[in-house]
Structures are given as structure tokens and as C-alpha cells.
Amino acid sequence: ADPTAIESFPGLPLEILRQSSLGGGLIEFILGDGVLSLPEAARGSQAVANINVQLHPVAIAGYISLVVNALSLLPIGVTDGGRMSQ
């Protein structure tokens, strides 16, 4: 996409993307190594809390579906994980 279109893409906070190993790994594979990495001194600072990574809406939908599927596999109640543990 051209740079003006990328500016209109929604962004996800960097800290949310870094919390998921699978989602973060996929983003780094597609966008390039080091996209989600930070210097050790910058972690936990206010500047990092304000960083958003612009992603295509389909990528955001895919990321959310990864999280939802991971939650549905937890062995709680009648979710798929709960049925597998019975």
C-alpha cells in the first residue's frame, strides 16, 4: 500500500503485540525482524506506551482471532478445551 493509505490503517499498541509470542512472531516475520524489539532501557517507559504499530485491518482481525481461539482452548466450562479435558 502507498504511504498515505498506511497512515489511515488502525494501529495496535506495541505492548499488546509483544505479549503474544505467536502473533508477535507472525508480525515480525511479515514486517521484518526487529519491528517489535526495544532497547532494554526503553521498556516500561511512557514513550513506549504511546507507540502504535499500523497494521492492515485484516491483520488486526487475524490477530484478534488468534487470541480468541487461544482463549477458547482453555479447559474451563464447555469451551473446546473443557471438552478435551473431560
Side-chain angles (χ1 to χ4, degrees), residues 27-86:
I27 290 169
E28 285 210 343
F29 176 74
I30 293 170
L31 296 180
D33 289 336
V35 171
L36 300 179
S37 62
L38 293 171
E40 191 65 38
R43 293 189 181 160
S45 68
Q46 184 62 29
V48 173
N50 295 331
I51 295 176
N52 286 331
V53 177
Q54 308 293 28
L55 295 174
H56 193 276
V58 174
I60 292 178
Y63 185 82
I64 291 171
S65 69
L66 283 173
V67 172
V68 169
N69 281 323
L71 290 174
S72 73
L73 290 175
L74 291 175
I76 300 172
V78 295
T79 64
D80 289 337
R83 283 190 232 144
M84 289 189 321
S85 66
Q86 289 179 351

